[in-house]
Amino acid sequence: MSIKTKFAGDKFKVRVEKKVKDSFMRGAVASATDTINGRKNQLTAEMGNWEDWRNHGEEIRKHVLENLDYYLHQFSENVAKNGGHVYFAANAEEANKYIREVVQKKNAKKIIKAKSMVTEEIGMNDSLEEIGCEVVESDLGEFILQLDDKEPPSHIVVPTLHKNKEQMRAVFERKLNYEGSSQPEELALCARKVLREKFLAADVGVIGCNFAIAETGSTTLVTNEGNADLVADLPKTLIVCMGMERIVPTFEEMDVLVGLLTRSAVGQKLTSYVTNLTGPRREGDVDGPEEFHVVIVDNGRSNILGTEFQPVLQCIRCAACINICPVYRHIGGHAYGSIYPGPIGIVLTPLLDGYEGNKELPYASTLCAACTEVCPVKIPLHQLIRRHREIIVEKEGKAPFSEKMMMKAFGLGTSNASLYNMASRMAHSVVKPLTKGDKITKGVGPLKEWTDYKDMPKPNKERFRDWFKKHKGGNN
Amino acid sequence: MKVSLFGTCLVDVLKADIGKATVELLEHLGCEVDYPEGQICCGQPTYNSGYLNETIPAMKRMIDVFADSKYVVGPSGSCVYMLHEYPHIFKDDPVYGPKAKALAEKSYELTQFIVEVMGIEDVGATFNGKVTYHPSCHMTRLLGVKNPPLTLLKNVKGLEFTELPQKEYCCGFGGTFSVKMGRISEKIVDEKVEHVKETGAEYLTGADYSCLMNISGRMERLGVPVKVLHIAQILNSR
Ligand code: SF4
């Protein structure tokens, strides 16, 4: 996998058409996001000063981005001091090459993973499988998707958000001969049995990173399953993968951001586990890896720094914007064709992966700004989505010709009084052939996509402005 | 009080009744209303579609047209918000930057103007019926106007107010989204229509005609018998 998923091959509209017909998926997404949003709203309301926390979160993230060089340097020095190795990967290839080398040096065949979106982004599993490794996902959601013929995640926090319990059970039955119920606890128990063997047999662990603490060279991952601890502690070699923007200055800022993250992501004050890792096992430690690597992945991020899109790097991957998005709600994550779906995905995907093949994404938004309102680090998501549209139109020249003509005409009609007067006076009679009673039911051109689903009112016989003139006795 | 009406292009061409109700309501409340003739459109459809260059002349026109107005009032939260976006768009323009700022500072959505500027919470309307209200996204989230419409509605005699479930969800209009992504728009508005039906309301109202046109267009297509009125039409019922 890379940023683009296997679904990206189809045209966006084809993907959408498939997904809006998938009532299981839409039901699962609506019910899961309603639950998370409900819990989140209750928690943040109880706090009473959620806005202050958001401001604080934004400040921290902005400060880090403005001083990223400094903090990355400090972080890597401290990882080295702790006895770990740091590798800066400019792109996916470099990251995968380094990870392969570490694995090959250890003659490792069995890899166990905890959650990490950046390893999805760089396609690490495929890269390791190519050299004959077995890579096992230990996050329950990722484990299910991997079992299900490597289905891509549809959400950045809950990768199986598109599946209901019965569908998950069916995967277990098909692949593991599972005979139990669809109760999450029972499913988890079954997964645990399979995974226990894998944990014990693994040569190398790979783990993601929510925050990397510059002052101590530590990395933090929040989970609800505790699998991250096992991934970090059992195998002799551990590789932490992180996007280069994951840095925070100290534990103090980490604490603030973890609070924002867990509340926003799952509506919890704190997740069950917060796994902090600081270098390899030291003398006297009872557990921990003997070798500790941190792979810091750029993969397009430094190109965003210093641009008008820099705020997107503030993201702490909480998925709150995804959970509140009306478009995501109805098309699910897979329709985006990117491992980063929803508003954050719309903004991030074209930046990391280019506009080619992603140019329809910025239009998959009503610009309702619910994402911007909910983002715990105050990224102006809807504005950045709109900015993508401008770039697509103006710089990339990728907008359809017919749309360009229409927009030019609209631009003229809304700035030239005689054109506007002519068009608006004529509107009533022009659309007459399309009307039925007082409405338009079968439109042409751009109206068609409206009237395919909705009626449209017939234009006024008398424009409002003409009425107003009369109302004022013709002397206005 | 002298008020310049920003009527919006949709109302001008598609729903003159909303404009009429707005004028009558403001006059009833003692305002002297004018309608600067040169106004056309705030430019939102092209601007939000990424056509900034095509939008600049329309926006400059609006800035010039309302230059002498004391207050600019419009029956659409979204279009009024667009005027508030102008200062950001023209921030580097030495001529239009300051003018845009002046326009934004004197521009109000209709209910916001009545409650916050005129200080009126009861417009003396009577309207018999069960009514639910859709708070449109740009009006609530971007312009920040949440309570004024509710305050005014709750003081209408005879009106039985019922809250719309999941009211803060977008109706699926989204400007050109509704014609570029018609299929998704349909699914989003279908959920809104379900919520409207759940309320048992006879009337759906709101302060943005574009969103109302979207929801009513779908309800008409589906044969849902809920009537749709702009809030100005309800507040102008006596
Ligand atoms: S953009 Fe904001 S809301 Fe969306 S995932 Fe990132 S931090 Fe969370």
Side-chain angles (χ1 to χ4, degrees):
Chain A
M1 216 176 289
S2 60
I3 295 183
K4 278 203 184 84
T5 68
K6 64 181 182 192
F7 301 116
D10 285 336
K11 278 206 170 335
F12 184 68
K13 288 218 163 169
V14 175
R15 286 180 246 150
V16 165
E17 195 52 39
K18 274 190 202 152
K19 292 299 162 189
V20 294
K21 286 188 182 135
D22 185 347
S23 51
F24 283 117
M25 179 280 289
R26 290 173 57 217
V29 169
S31 102
T33 51
D34 283 348
T35 308
I36 298 173
N37 292 339
R39 281 206 305 245
K40 181 204 162 238
N41 290 342
Q42 199 186 335
L43 264 188
T44 52
E46 273 168 20
M47 285 169 86
N49 58 349
W50 179 241
E51 283 312 304
D52 296 343
W53 283 98
R54 286 179 78 215
N55 287 332
H56 194 25
E58 179 193 25
E59 237 170 77
I60 295 172
R61 294 299 294 147
K62 281 208 152 112
H63 170 79
V64 166
L65 293 176
E66 270 147 32
N67 302 281
L68 194 57
D69 285 3
Y70 172 82
Y71 286 120
L72 274 171
H73 180 74
Q74 188 190 13
F75 173 73
S76 34
E77 297 260 289
N78 285 326
V79 173
K81 252 189 228 156
N82 299 333
H85 309 271
V86 176
Y87 179 73
F88 277 93
N91 50 39
E93 293 74 53
E94 281 190 20
N96 283 324
K97 188 162 167 272
Y98 180 81
I99 295 168
R100 278 188 191 203
E101 278 167 11
V102 170
V103 165
Q104 278 166 331
K105 250 190 230 150
K106 297 278 144 195
N107 264 326
K109 286 284 169 240
K110 296 192 180 303
I111 321 292
I112 187 100
K113 264 183 80 184
K115 190 151 167 56
S116 153
M117 284 307 290
V118 83
T119 58
E120 304 269 355
E121 179 186 318
I122 62 174
M124 185 198 75
N125 290 14
D126 290 343
S127 154
L128 287 177
E129 280 167 11
E130 273 166 28
I131 56 163
C133 293
E134 180 198 53
V135 185
V136 177
E137 299 282 355
S138 69
D139 173 87
L140 183 57
E142 298 284 356
F143 174 75
I144 294 170
L145 294 183
Q146 191 176 35
L147 270 187
D148 199 6
D149 304 319
K150 298 196 201 167
E151 196 181 29
S154 68
H155 189 273
I156 59 174
V157 170
V158 190
T160 51
L161 195 91
H162 58 290
K163 280 187 179 344
N164 61 31
K165 285 186 298 188
E166 279 66 36
Q167 289 169 316
M168 296 194 219
R169 187 196 170 281
V171 176
F172 275 51
E173 184 179 318
R174 233 176 22 247
K175 301 287 180 175
L176 302 172
N177 298 321
Y178 173 77
E179 289 175 348
S181 77
S182 61
Q183 283 306 310
E185 295 76 20
E186 210 178 328
L187 289 171
L189 209 64
C190 166
R192 198 169 293 160
K193 269 192 204 131
V194 177
L195 284 172
R196 184 151 304 156
E197 303 299 315
K198 303 289 182 189
F199 275 120
L200 292 171
D203 309 304
V204 174
V206 177
I207 187 171
C209 163
N210 291 110
F211 302 106
I213 297 136
E215 190 185 50
T216 59
S218 317
T219 69
T220 303
L221 186 71
V222 298
T223 72
N224 265 325
E225 295 159 22
N227 59 317
D229 287 35
L230 294 175
V231 169
D233 288 342
L234 292 177
K236 287 198 169 138
T237 305
L238 178 66
I239 304 172
V240 183
C241 283
M242 60 179 266
M244 68 183 280
E245 78 283 28
R246 295 286 126 229
I247 297 272
V248 292
T250 70
F251 266 92
E252 205 175 306
E253 288 84 11
M254 183 274 267
D255 190 33
V256 173
L257 293 176
V258 164
L260 285 168
L261 173 63
T262 57
R263 283 177 173 88
S264 297
V266 277
Q268 286 175 278
K269 282 188 186 152
L270 200 58
T271 42
S272 313
Y273 296 85
V274 178
T275 306
N276 291 306
L277 305 167
T278 310
R281 170 196 299 232
R282 276 156 299 208
E283 263 196 43
D285 282 357
V286 287
D287 56 15
E290 288 166 11
E291 230 178 89
F292 184 90
H293 298 261
V294 182
V295 181
I296 303 177
V297 179
D298 181 335
N299 208 27
R301 287 163 174 77
S302 53
N303 294 336
I304 304 173
L305 280 174
T307 71
E308 58 190 320
F309 288 102
Q310 179 165 312
V312 78
L313 297 174
Q314 287 160 219
C315 177
I316 56 171
R317 303 285 192 269
C318 72
C321 59
I322 300 176
N323 298 336
I324 203 74
C325 176
V327 172
Y328 179 92
R329 186 175 175 89
H330 292 282
I331 66 174
H334 288 157
Y336 292 81
S338 164
I339 58 157
Y340 299 115
I344 177 64
I346 292 177
V347 177
L348 193 58
T349 306
L351 295 172
L352 296 182
D353 192 51
Y355 286 100
E356 203 50 55
N358 298 311
K359 75 171 187 347
E360 277 167 308
L361 293 182
Y363 298 93
S365 164
T366 65
L367 301 184
C368 72
C371 47
T372 302
E373 184 181 56
V374 84
C375 176
V377 289
K378 300 183 78 171
I379 302 173
L381 290 155
H382 75 284
Q383 287 176 24
L384 298 178
I385 293 173
R386 200 191 50 74
R387 243 331 257 162
H388 270 317
R389 295 181 182 179
E390 273 174 13
I391 293 168
I392 289 169
V393 168
E394 282 161 22
K395 300 220 176 77
E396 297 273 313
K398 287 195 163 70
F401 180 71
S402 56
E403 178 192 291
K404 268 190 222 159
M405 293 323 310
M406 200 175 79
M407 287 296 161
K408 280 213 172 4
F410 193 88
L412 280 177
T414 51
S415 56
N416 178 311
S418 41
L419 263 183
Y420 173 79
N421 281 325
M422 190 181 72
S424 57
R425 280 207 194 98
M426 277 168 40
H428 181 76
S429 40
V430 168
V431 301
K432 219 174 195 153
L434 310 172
T435 55
K436 210 166 123 191
D438 59 352
K439 52 198 182 199
I440 309 172
T441 50
K442 267 199 169 43
V444 288
L447 274 193
K448 186 178 178 303
E449 193 144 345
W450 178 286
T451 55
D452 277 351
Y453 309 105
K454 302 161 198 163
D455 292 347
M456 173 115 203
K458 196 162 81 177
N460 297 312
K461 218 169 180 166
E462 178 185 54
R463 296 178 310 169
F464 167 71
R465 65 182 66 217
D466 300 326
W467 172 86
F468 190 83
K469 252 187 219 157
K470 280 196 233 156
H471 175 72
K472 285 275 170 176
N475 52 14
N476 186 274
Chain B
M1 212 177 266
K2 276 191 154 179
V3 172
S4 291
L5 179 65
F6 161 34
T8 80
C9 58
L10 267 189
V11 164
D12 190 29
V13 181
L14 288 179
K15 266 288 178 261
D17 287 351
I18 295 172
K20 295 175 196 172
T22 306
V23 172
E24 287 170 5
L25 173 63
L26 286 170
E27 286 177 347
H28 172 77
L29 297 175
C31 296
E32 191 185 320
V33 184
D34 74 338
Y35 182 83
E37 176 64 26
Q39 63 178 289
I40 301 182
C41 167
C42 64
Q44 205 180 165
T46 39
Y47 177 68
N48 279 347
S49 304
Y51 290 79
L52 178 60
N53 290 335
E54 285 74 4
T55 316
I56 299 280
M59 295 188 288
K60 285 188 173 170
R61 167 179 267 277
M62 294 296 271
I63 293 171
D64 290 334
V65 161
F66 290 109
D68 297 329
S69 305
K70 181 155 193 314
Y71 293 109
V72 177
V73 176
S76 161
S78 183
C79 305
V80 170
Y81 172 71
M82 184 64 197
L83 304 184
H84 285 247
E85 182 93 359
Y86 286 6
H88 306 286
I89 302 170
F90 289 99
K91 65 179 186 309
D92 299 325
D93 185 322
V95 179
Y96 278 90
K99 287 190 189 180
K101 193 161 166 275
L103 174 59
E105 280 166 2
K106 64 186 179 187
S107 298
Y108 298 87
E109 183 277 328
L110 175 66
T111 61
Q112 176 190 28
F113 182 74
I114 295 173
V115 175
E116 289 173 5
V117 179
M118 301 185 78
I120 295 173
E121 299 201 339
D122 183 347
V123 296
T126 302
F127 185 89
N128 292 313
K130 191 170 175 186
V131 176
T132 192
Y133 170 80
H134 167 64
S136 40
C137 302
H138 288 183
M139 169 138 152
T140 49
R141 295 200 183 97
L142 301 181
L143 194 60
V145 178
K146 289 189 177 146
N147 291 327
L150 299 173
T151 306
L152 295 176
L153 282 178
K154 282 178 183 158
N155 287 323
V156 172
K157 276 177 216 67
L159 187 147
E160 184 191 344
F161 185 82
T162 165
E163 177 126 338
L164 187 65
Q166 298 207 335
K167 58 183 190 310
E168 52 290 310
Y169 263 107
C170 175
C171 72
F173 174 64
T176 49
F177 173 83
S178 60
V179 290
K180 266 185 103 91
M181 299 275 168
R183 188 70 160 135
I184 309 176
S185 177
E186 175 212 359
K187 294 298 166 199
I188 300 177
V189 73
D190 272 354
E191 199 170 3
K192 185 62 77 180
V193 171
E194 280 311 309
H195 292 316
V196 172
K197 285 194 334 204
E198 273 169 44
T199 63
E202 302 155 77
Y203 297 90
L204 167 70
T205 191
D208 261 290
Y209 176 57
S210 47
C211 312
L212 294 178
M213 176 175 81
N214 184 55
I215 306 170
S216 71
R218 186 61 185 162
M219 292 205 292
E220 283 174 27
R221 180 60 57 90
L222 295 171
V224 177
V226 177
K227 293 184 262 315
V228 177
L229 288 175
H230 187 275
I231 192 165
Q233 293 172 296
I234 291 189
L235 298 178
N236 191 42
S237 301
R238 273 178 290 274

